[in-house]
Amino acid sequence: MYQEIDLDKIDIHADPPLEEPARQYYFMAKCRKWVKGFEQRNGRLPKSCVLNFGCQMNARDSEKLSGILKQIGYILAEEEDSADFCIYNTCTVRDNADQRVYGRLGHLNSLKKKKPSMKIALCGCMMQEPGTVERIRKSYRFVDLVFGTHNIYKFAELLAEMFEQDRMIVDIWQSTDAIVEELPAERKYPFKSGINIMFGCNNFCSYCIVPYVRGRERSRNPKDILQEISSLAADGVVEIMLLGQNVNSYGKNLEDQMNFAGLLREVEKIEGIRRIRFMTSHPKDLSDELIQVMAESEKICRHLHLPLQSGSTRILKEMNRRYTKEEYLSLVERIRRAIPDIALTTDIIVGFPGETPEDVDETIDVIRKVGFDNAFTFLYSKRTGTPAAAMENQVEESVMKEGFDRVLKVVQDTARKRVALLAGRTMEALVEEENEQDPSLMTGRLANNILVHFPGEPSLIGQIVPVHLREYKGFYYLGERM
Ligand code: 5AD
Ligand code: SF4
């Protein structure tokens, strides 16, 4: 596990070590020297800003980037305007994520014109797409550093190169087997943390770009995961989220005999950890053993995110999801029978090639039958290089939107009804922050992922407290601490 390493004791005039992570600590020491030079020239430390555009994995990667920047001496800033170094950790799962990045790059360009010493870096999933790098080379020449998902652990080394050179540095790998442990991370919240348990995805759902930009599935060693969680617990973390594109297939490529249910049993034993979450589960791989472990657990949150994508068996087949509508419904029934109070959330895509209004009716039928506590509904987005992008029967935008609106309405109605059932109950909330609008209120998260706002003091932040759910306001509760 990562421990404080005194960077000043590393001899940066020697050759860099070849093994990891020692090599990255060597480059961190080099970067720190650069930061000290900046301080001498400017009478202040440089500021850096890390922005993430994607999922929880992306957010966790950003914590690792921030951890390295902090180690080398940067002050971490929330926004770009005052930053001397700005890095965008991009996402490419849907086209609007790409467009957001291009839009904000325009703003960065104007900032850099005012402050030419500013450095700009781009990393993450979007950079793994060949077209993106070409576009950046051609039209965004003010960018200083571009790297991808496979070599993110080399951030310190790439930074050192960026400080030494005056040209755009591009380093994109097509794949990697390496899992480099023991690098620093700077958590956004002191009391909760994500933990990568696996990287990549082997499922190749036909609409999805993830397997192409994140590579093949690789599981981390259980020993490393458990050790990381133990030290997080020792550092005050009470809630953890185990992260992977498909956590239910954890362990398949490992020498140790360990599956996801087994890993959860081990995590449960770690003292200090009060809540365990995980993301994301693929319905095809969700085992009865996992349901049993969840039912027996005292720490695993009564919440399961189980992406449906579509309720039409025909479309599910085209999507290469490898379950039918009936199999999904029967899985939900098994889960609910074992864990009656579980909250179920999901992802839904509307407008996949060939989808008809009748297919959308099937999706709506599943939403009604399951009664999700929340559902993220997405318009299908064509991702170049995926099988679905080459399908001829792409759905017209107006038809897509019509289906989307119908789905959204049912999702909202059913979610509202389900969550409203909790009114009057007292549940445990992990207090996360002061309410943005009203500082007399604190915001807590229930095990089922619903937020509750209640009168309280900032000293409660990080504690798990019982809260009476008084009034349901549509997607969140107002309550009182009991
Ligand atoms: N278009 C729309 N939504 C998509 N997702 C993944 N790929 C696409 C796409 N091409 C959605 C899925 C997935 C979530 C993370 O993003 O619903 O579960
Ligand atoms: Fe994409 Fe499917 Fe893998 Fe999820 S499971 S990341 S939707 S390919």
Side-chain angles (χ1 to χ4, degrees):
M1 187 59 215
Y2 161 70
Q3 285 159 357
E4 288 281 318
I5 289 179
D6 189 351
L7 294 185
D8 294 330
K9 293 213 172 108
I10 295 175
D11 177 8
I12 55 172
H13 302 292
D15 286 341
L18 292 176
E19 71 279 11
E20 300 290 3
R23 187 174 172 88
Q24 297 313 311
Y25 282 95
Y26 168 92
F27 284 107
M28 277 183 235
K30 266 196 134 170
C31 291
R32 183 181 276 184
K33 184 154 177 260
W34 184 90
V35 166
K36 283 190 176 149
F38 180 100
E39 190 183 15
Q40 274 165 8
R41 288 193 303 279
N42 298 281
R44 64 173 178 90
L45 286 167
K47 280 190 185 171
S48 66
C49 170
V50 182
L51 286 191
N52 62 289
F53 288 75
C55 62
Q56 272 94 349
M57 293 248 207
N58 189 266
R60 180 64 183 155
D61 283 347
S62 292
E63 291 185 348
K64 294 178 182 172
L65 299 171
S66 297
I68 289 173
L69 288 165
K70 192 172 172 200
Q71 271 283 306
I72 64 181
Y74 271 93
I75 308 272
L76 303 180
E78 296 276 318
E79 39 74 53
E80 299 110 308
D81 291 34
S82 65
D84 302 286
F85 173 70
C86 194
I87 179 161
Y88 285 175
N89 188 9
T90 64
C91 165
T92 189
V93 74
R94 286 172 293 277
D95 185 56
N96 53 6
D98 289 23
Q99 296 318 320
R100 270 175 64 214
V101 170
Y102 286 125
R104 286 184 88 126
L105 273 174
H107 177 57
L108 279 191
N109 192 16
S110 58
L111 288 177
K112 189 162 175 167
K113 279 193 179 131
K114 280 186 233 148
K115 187 166 57 175
S117 63
M118 185 183 190
K119 296 279 184 192
I120 296 169
L122 299 172
C123 68
C125 291
M126 193 175 145
M127 301 305 125
Q128 291 294 142
E129 291 200 80
T132 309
V133 171
E134 269 164 50
R135 184 167 168 186
I136 288 163
R137 274 211 169 101
K138 209 162 136 228
S139 313
Y140 299 84
R141 297 174 64 161
F142 55 91
V143 172
D144 300 285
L145 170 63
V146 179
F147 58 98
T149 54
H150 301 299
N151 54 347
I152 186 167
Y153 71 88
K154 292 220 164 223
F155 179 47
E157 188 167 346
L158 291 163
L159 263 184
E161 200 179 332
M162 183 189 81
F163 290 140
E164 278 168 14
Q165 309 221 7
D166 215 16
R167 58 176 176 92
M168 186 192 292
I169 293 162
V170 177
D171 191 12
I172 308 283
W173 298 1
Q174 286 321 306
S175 65
T176 184
D177 294 331
I179 297 180
V180 178
E181 308 276 351
E182 301 180 42
L183 285 170
E186 175 70 11
R187 291 195 304 278
K188 185 169 173 211
Y189 297 98
F191 49 84
K192 68 173 188 177
S193 179
I195 290 111
N196 299 104
I197 64 164
M198 57 201 300
F199 303 91
C201 180
N202 284 352
N203 287 315
F204 291 95
C205 300
S206 62
Y207 50 81
C208 187
I209 194 83
V210 169
Y212 306 90
V213 296
R214 288 258 172 194
R216 293 295 65 71
E217 202 172 279
R218 298 164 326 270
S219 296
R220 277 178 76 193
N221 267 321
K223 209 169 84 247
D224 294 329
I225 296 170
L226 297 171
Q227 220 167 51
E228 182 176 344
I229 299 173
S230 298
S231 24
L232 287 169
D235 199 30
V237 167
V238 292
E239 178 177 306
I240 52 157
M241 181 177 279
L242 307 177
L243 298 171
Q245 301 296 346
N246 180 12
V247 291
N248 298 333
S249 68
Y250 172 79
K252 279 191 182 156
N253 63 335
L254 286 174
E255 279 173 18
D256 304 63
Q257 284 285 322
M258 180 66 93
N259 61 12
F260 186 53
L263 180 70
L264 282 171
R265 278 201 192 96
E266 294 303 313
V267 175
E268 176 100 14
K269 294 179 197 155
I270 297 176
E271 222 173 290
I273 297 297
R274 308 261 314 268
R275 276 182 170 180
I276 304 168
R277 300 182 185 276
F278 51 85
M279 189 92 127
T280 293
S281 285
H282 195 305
K284 81 177 163 62
D285 297 313
L286 200 143
S287 66
D288 286 335
E289 188 189 3
L290 175 62
I291 298 176
Q292 196 189 335
V293 169
M294 287 184 79
E296 288 166 1
S297 167
E298 294 189 353
K299 295 184 179 176
I300 301 174
C301 288
R302 279 6 196 178
H303 171 218
L304 187 64
H305 185 67
L306 195 61
L308 167 68
Q309 312 300 5
S310 167
S312 154
T313 296
R314 189 179 71 82
I315 293 293
L316 285 168
K317 188 155 195 298
E318 293 291 313
M319 287 177 160
N320 191 30
R321 290 291 288 176
R322 285 172 275 177
Y323 53 84
T324 63
K325 174 186 181 184
E326 288 70 30
E327 281 164 352
Y328 188 94
L329 286 171
S330 98
L331 175 62
V332 166
E333 209 179 289
R334 288 205 303 280
I335 297 167
R336 284 245 167 88
R337 208 179 309 133
I339 317 160
D341 56 347
I342 197 156
L344 290 172
T345 56
T346 201
D347 291 340
I348 291 165
I349 298 175
V350 182
F352 182 85
E355 189 181 62
T356 64
E358 288 71 37
D359 293 314
V360 176
D361 290 342
E362 294 279 291
T363 302
I364 289 177
D365 187 44
V366 176
I367 299 167
R368 289 221 168 92
K369 285 192 169 122
V370 175
F372 293 107
D373 292 74
N374 197 6
F376 300 95
T377 312
F378 305 109
L379 279 171
Y380 167 71
S381 172
K382 192 171 168 180
R383 307 317 285 137
T384 309
T386 61
M391 292 179 185
E392 278 171 7
N393 43 0
Q394 302 286 322
V395 177
E396 243 179 70
E397 210 175 301
S398 61
V399 179
M400 243 196 244
K401 290 218 166 104
E402 205 179 83
F404 181 87
D405 290 344
R406 281 205 297 138
V407 168
L408 193 66
K409 186 167 182 321
V410 182
V411 157
Q412 289 178 341
D413 286 351
T414 49
R416 228 174 259 137
K417 275 188 202 132
R418 252 199 85 80
V419 181
L421 295 175
L422 302 172
R425 281 175 60 173
T426 296
M427 293 174 80
E428 289 198 328
L430 171 57
V431 187
E432 292 194 344
E433 55 204 358
E434 220 170 62
N435 186 297
E436 269 177 28
Q437 272 95 46
D438 180 352
S440 73
L441 297 179
M442 302 308 295
T443 297
R445 194 176 292 274
L446 306 174
N448 59 15
N449 219 26
I450 302 284
L451 294 179
V452 57
H453 308 288
F454 61 97
E457 299 300 315
S459 60
L460 291 173
I461 291 173
Q463 291 186 38
I464 296 178
V465 297
V467 179
H468 175 73
L469 306 180
R470 179 169 46 80
E471 192 186 347
Y472 182 51
K473 301 292 274 185
F475 300 111
Y476 68 90
Y477 268 96
L478 291 178
E480 269 96 38
R481 192 176 162 206
M482 296 305 283

